[in-house]
Structures are given as structure tokens and as C-alpha cells.
Amino acid sequence: MSKRSLFYLLIILAPIFFFSGLQKYQEEALAINISVPVRVFDGQNFIENLTKEDFLVYEDGVPQPITAVYLIKKTRIIHQEAEKPRQAETSLPSPNLARRIVLVFEINEFLPKCEEAVDFLIKEALQPQDKLTVITPVRAYNLKGEALQRLSREAIARQLKEKIRQDIWRVNVELRNLISDYKTLMNSQWRAGISGQDILYKIKNLKFLDEKQLIKFAEVLKNFDGQKHLFLFYQEEELLMKKIFDDTGQSEFQKMQFIKDIRFDVQKIKRLFADYGVHFNFLFITKVKWSNQLMDVTEFAPQQYENFKITGEFFSVFYNLAKATGGVTLSSQNPEAAFKKAVEVAENYYLLYYRPLNYQADGKFRQIKVVVRNRNYKVIHRLGYVAD
């Protein structure tokens, strides 16, 4: 996301929301309940017949008492179990199932399958009570609450696709011009005026997410109420590197200078997003070298991209961010297929509440681990929370 995009996001969204982003529920100051969205899989299949007794939850390695478990599909409670309140004046945790859906497009070109992903979201996945934010490399858009009552979904999808297409085209033109200027400069005997490093700085400033932007983005997201689902469409940076450095005769060292200042405090970013309850999903759009099938969507780990210089850095950051928030990382050359799979994962989950033993608001990060008794299921959930 460019700095301009983040600026617009802060300007547009920051004044609107004022709710606490921490996923906690306080029972009249008598007890604290921590909420943990949990997704359980046997292979690729979501397990939806679990009960409160099937779960074990640990905080910093210590078993914790579970107060309630809700099975959620989209924005509906399908099944619920909860312990009886210990005192008459104490209430049980009540889940807030309002959804804030955030799409972030950090891509070089608006592919046809990106348009189909938007169609799927607006026409099929979006619920009437959902709030939608779409972020392009230029600005952020919020879908007005009354839009679904005033306009057809077809009209909304058409308007949104046009906005995204225009913004990405605008940045793409600027990017192409900078790359053309850079190649001309590198292949010329004359070095008057702007330097190659100046041009590369402009390219990085235009395209690359950095740690500061991610942290600011997390600070905005924490103020959203309810369930927060973020989907990052991220195009493989190796393709950009190829466009920049092809035909310039530069060494690998010179190319590495281009990305030398890309650094992330992954631990800090993971804890921020987990604490703020953001369900982060990383959709890595790339040419799938291991498959000829356009519809293939694959889950891959960072080490499979470690040889892809710039891609390896970004892939590792976003992969770990998704893992820390209970989200998914999907690689595909088909944005629509990847998005559909990520939405399917996001829509089905257990909302588990537990009451921490000996809770202290000391500002420290508490690590959460959820397991299913006597089963070898894949369990994904947020990493933890800050006790404040």
C-alpha cells in the first residue's frame, strides 16, 4: 500500500469509529472474558460438530476455564453452549457478530479475475449488515450503509470495480513511467539531473508496504467493532523486479541495494494485529510455476519463496501475520479462486470465550493456545492479546 493510500485511510476512517478494538468482554467489572475465534479443520474440511467439552484453552501454558462456545456461520449463531452465571448480577458474554470486511489491493494490474472476486463479494458474500472498506494504492472507499437498499448489487459491484480499476491504472502509469526513466538513465552515458537512486526511491515510495504503514493500519483497524476480516491481494514482487532491472546490465548486488532498507519487526506486528482482533488473510497472486491449472489455490510456507529475494521478505511477513491472527495464506494466479476459499474459511468458526485466571492488567502480551481433545485436527486462532 502506498503512503498516499494509508493517508486517505486514516483521514477517512479514523474519525468514524470509536469502539474499543480489544476482543474482551467485561461483566460489570467483575470478570474479564477473552474472545477467541477458532477454526478447526480435518484436512480441508471445517469441523462443525464440536462442543464446549471438546476444547482446551491455555494462556501462557496454563489451562483456563471456558465460559462459552458459539458456532458461527457468516453472521448467525448456529449453536451455543455457556456456563451458568455465578452471580445473579453477572451476565454471559454476548458475541458481537457485526462484520467489517476490508479488501486491500496491492497489485500492479487489475486482472479480470480480480473483477470476478469483487463480483463474488458484492453479489454473494456481503451480508446486509456488513460494513465494507476497499483500499486501493490511491485511496480508501467505504460502502455506505444504505447503499444495498438504494442500489442493486450489480450496480454497486460495477461502481466499485471501476474505482479500483482507475486507481490501479493511475498508479500503474506512474510506475511504468518511472521504470522507463530508470532504464533510460541506466543505459545512457549521461548522468545529468535525477539519479537512478532517486528514481528507485520513488518506485519504493509508490509501491512497497513498510513496517510503519502496517502499524498505522493496525491502529485504525483496532477501532472497528465486531468481527474484522482483512483480505490482502498482493502481487508477486519478483515480477516488478524483473520489469525494473531487465536490460540494465546490473549486478545482483545492485539489485539487492534496492531492497536493503526493507525491514519489519515481525513480532511487534503480529502481536498488534492479534491483540486488535483482526483476521488477516494473505492472497499471494503469482504465476503458479508448479501448476498449469488456473484455478489452483495452494497453501505454501515462506521457505518455498526464500530464493525469491524481495518476494521472500514480504511473503514471510504476511504469512506470519496471517498465522498470528488465525487467517490463511493462499498462493494462486487466480485472485477470484483464492478469495472465495479465504472467504469460506472466514465465514465458519467457533467463537470461544474464556475467563483468565488471576487476570492482571499489566500491559503484557498473553499467548493463547487452543486444542481439541483427543483429536489431531488443525486448529487456527489468534496468537494472543495484551492485558491492559
Side-chain angles (χ1 to χ4, degrees):
M1 186 190 310
S2 70
K3 291 181 174 63
R4 287 180 301 177
S5 178
L6 179 65
F7 171 78
Y8 282 111
L9 176 64
L10 293 171
I11 292 297
I12 293 173
L13 299 184
I16 298 177
F17 302 97
F18 51 86
F19 299 99
S20 171
L22 291 178
Q23 299 297 296
K24 301 174 186 173
Y25 175 84
Q26 188 166 2
E27 299 177 354
E28 299 180 4
L30 296 177
I32 293 290
N33 277 282
I34 304 300
S35 69
V36 190
V38 179
R39 293 165 175 86
V40 183
F41 297 92
D42 185 4
Q44 298 296 316
N45 300 316
F46 177 75
I47 304 299
E48 57 181 61
N49 60 352
L50 299 176
T51 68
K52 179 170 169 284
E53 294 304 315
D54 289 316
F55 289 100
L56 291 170
V57 60
Y58 300 86
E59 183 177 292
D60 291 338
V62 179
Q64 305 291 322
I66 298 175
T67 53
V69 174
Y70 300 83
L71 174 61
I72 311 296
K73 287 185 177 292
K74 294 187 177 180
T75 56
R76 295 186 300 118
I77 297 175
I78 304 301
H79 177 73
Q80 65 183 69
E81 292 181 88
E83 68 174 20
K84 294 182 179 180
R86 296 178 180 178
Q87 303 178 43
E89 70 271 18
T90 332
S91 59
L92 287 171
S94 177
N96 185 343
L97 301 184
R99 296 195 305 183
R100 167 67 59 170
I101 298 174
V102 182
L103 268 60
V104 180
F105 288 93
E106 183 66 9
I107 57 179
N108 300 324
E109 53 186 327
F110 195 46
L111 306 168
K113 288 296 181 180
C114 288
E115 296 195 21
E116 293 179 23
V118 173
D119 282 332
F120 166 73
L121 170 65
I122 300 299
K123 298 176 184 179
E124 299 183 45
L126 194 68
Q127 301 295 297
Q129 64 271 41
D130 289 340
K131 305 296 183 182
L132 174 63
T133 299
V134 176
I135 302 167
T136 73
V138 175
R139 59 176 61 86
Y141 300 96
N142 285 308
L143 182 65
K144 294 182 179 179
E146 69 275 12
L148 290 176
Q149 283 71 49
R150 293 191 301 103
L151 299 172
S152 69
R153 290 183 180 248
E154 180 73 36
I156 294 172
R158 184 170 59 250
Q159 290 180 11
L160 181 56
K161 286 186 292 185
E162 184 59 26
K163 291 179 183 298
I164 299 171
R165 187 186 304 109
Q166 287 180 355
D167 288 352
I168 292 176
W169 177 84
R170 174 181 167 184
V171 172
N172 201 7
V173 168
E174 188 173 353
L175 181 62
R176 288 202 308 268
N177 289 338
L178 286 170
I179 292 173
S180 177
D181 290 345
Y182 181 76
K183 288 187 175 183
T184 299
L185 183 63
M186 290 298 101
N187 291 321
S188 171
Q189 300 301 315
W190 303 95
R191 293 291 189 266
I194 190 170
S195 71
Q197 289 301 315
D198 291 335
I199 297 176
L200 292 179
Y201 177 79
K202 289 183 177 181
I203 292 175
K204 285 195 284 190
N205 193 54
L206 183 68
K207 277 298 299 171
F208 293 157
L209 282 164
D210 59 22
E211 180 181 305
K212 185 177 180 180
Q213 290 170 314
L214 280 175
I215 291 173
K216 287 184 178 180
F217 191 38
E219 293 293 340
V220 173
L221 290 174
K222 79 173 182 179
N223 295 313
F224 292 167
D225 195 33
Q227 309 301 310
K228 293 163 279 192
H229 303 285
L230 186 150
F231 303 89
L232 171 63
F233 293 81
Y234 196 90
Q235 201 160 25
E236 183 182 7
E237 293 293 351
E238 289 300 314
L239 303 178
L240 178 60
M241 292 279 283
K242 184 176 177 62
K243 291 178 182 178
I244 296 171
F245 295 112
D246 267 7
D247 306 320
T248 59
Q250 296 189 76
S251 68
E252 191 66 24
F253 173 78
Q254 289 170 312
K255 295 178 184 179
M256 290 305 296
Q257 292 298 301
F258 177 57
I259 61 170
K260 66 178 181 179
D261 58 345
I262 298 174
R263 295 291 184 271
F264 295 90
D265 185 338
V266 179
Q267 189 79 343
K268 179 180 180 180
I269 295 170
K270 288 194 310 182
R271 289 185 171 186
L272 274 179
F273 275 80
D275 181 45
Y276 298 158
V278 181
H279 181 234
F280 182 96
N281 299 276
F282 177 31
L283 309 181
F284 185 63
I285 311 306
T286 181
K287 292 182 178 180
V288 186
K289 304 172 181 63
W290 47 84
S291 172
N292 294 320
Q293 299 300 315
L294 180 61
M295 292 300 293
D296 272 9
V297 179
T298 313
E299 293 188 60
F300 274 82
Q303 51 266 34
Q304 289 162 301
Y305 292 93
E306 62 186 5
N307 294 326
F308 292 87
K309 302 299 183 296
I310 193 168
T311 294
E313 179 74 22
F314 283 97
F315 191 96
S316 179
V317 171
F318 299 136
Y319 168 87
N320 281 287
L321 186 50
K323 187 176 180 180
T325 60
V328 295
T329 293
L330 301 174
S331 300
S332 180
Q333 59 184 328
N334 185 333
E336 181 201 19
F339 181 58
K340 281 185 174 180
K341 185 169 183 178
V343 167
E344 181 183 357
V345 172
E347 287 181 339
N348 301 287
Y349 60 98
Y350 294 90
L351 191 56
L352 182 151
Y353 288 85
Y354 74 92
R355 185 177 298 121
L357 299 172
N358 304 316
Y359 178 85
Q360 293 183 23
D362 55 10
K364 294 181 179 179
F365 189 82
R366 303 285 195 266
Q367 192 153 321
I368 298 170
K369 182 174 179 60
V370 179
V371 298
V372 177
R373 297 177 190 264
N374 305 318
R375 298 295 179 93
N376 189 27
Y377 290 148
K378 178 181 178 182
V379 181
I380 58 175
H381 55 81
R382 66 185 179 124
L383 181 66
Y385 71 98
V386 175
D388 57 2

